[in-house]
Amino acid sequence: MPGYLPLRGWTSTPAPGEPGWLDVTDGAGVQRARVSGLRRRRTTAAARQTLTVHLPDGSTTPLRNGTRWWGTRRARTRGLLTLGGVSYVLQHRTGRRARVLRDGAWLSTLLRSAPGPAIEVRAPHTPDDELATALFAHVLRPGRASVLGGVAEVLASGP
């Protein structure tokens, strides 16, 4: 079975001088989106929070976190984003893994890791696919958080 290509170089950094804003840049260092609505001193979305994604062309789109698919388990929550008329869904699968779906098709797998999310690409990506995947990976974060998982991530990150 061939390995999947990683999506590299995307980063998210707090916007200078604007608390609650986050800049998302691609591997070439070009700012591809600015996310607003984060709570102060946070770099990831809280549960059941709706953020606004500001795109370079001046348009905006909502990024929803923690919407219920069905049931009460965290594995049944999802993130929702619409870009260019295409619906993207983030499905939390395990404590460290999530899937990105484009109109129901499995696009990428996101893995939670200590230095930052790892992204495995399963299908060819358009620029909007890359942006959606990066937003889910860096703003919503894959998997389900736990106290023990947080301690393990801190210990694995080193001094």
Side-chain angles (χ1 to χ4, degrees):
M1 183 168 130
Y4 299 115
L5 299 172
L7 187 66
R8 298 177 195 253
W10 286 79
T11 59
S12 62
T13 55
E18 298 184 51
W21 290 67
L22 194 67
D23 290 334
V24 178
T25 57
D26 63 14
V30 176
Q31 181 181 336
R32 295 283 305 278
R34 180 171 270 191
V35 179
S36 66
L38 289 165
R39 296 186 181 144
R40 291 176 82 66
R41 297 188 181 164
R42 287 193 64 119
T43 57
T44 59
R48 295 188 182 155
Q49 185 176 8
T50 300
L51 308 172
T52 303
V53 177
H54 303 268
L55 301 172
D57 64 3
S59 62
T60 61
T61 187
L63 174 61
R64 292 179 179 87
N65 186 32
T67 59
R68 290 278 177 208
W69 182 28
W70 58 270
T72 57
R73 294 190 57 213
R74 171 89 163 111
R76 303 295 181 229
T77 63
R78 60 190 176 164
L80 300 173
L81 176 69
T82 302
L83 285 175
V86 178
S87 296
Y88 295 93
V89 175
L90 174 72
Q91 288 182 336
H92 297 280
R93 305 301 291 178
T94 68
R96 304 187 75 72
R97 186 178 304 263
R99 286 183 185 169
V100 177
L101 306 175
R102 174 185 59 212
D103 289 334
W106 187 359
L107 185 66
S108 301
T109 300
L110 308 180
L111 306 168
R112 183 184 288 241
S113 61
I119 302 168
E120 295 176 347
V121 177
R122 295 186 55 90
H125 274 55
T126 66
D128 282 348
D129 294 344
E130 288 185 10
L131 177 58
T133 301
L135 285 169
F136 285 144
H138 290 280
V139 180
L140 298 192
R141 297 289 306 246
R144 301 185 301 271
S146 71
V147 173
L148 293 177
V151 170
E153 285 183 27
V154 169
L155 292 174
S157 64

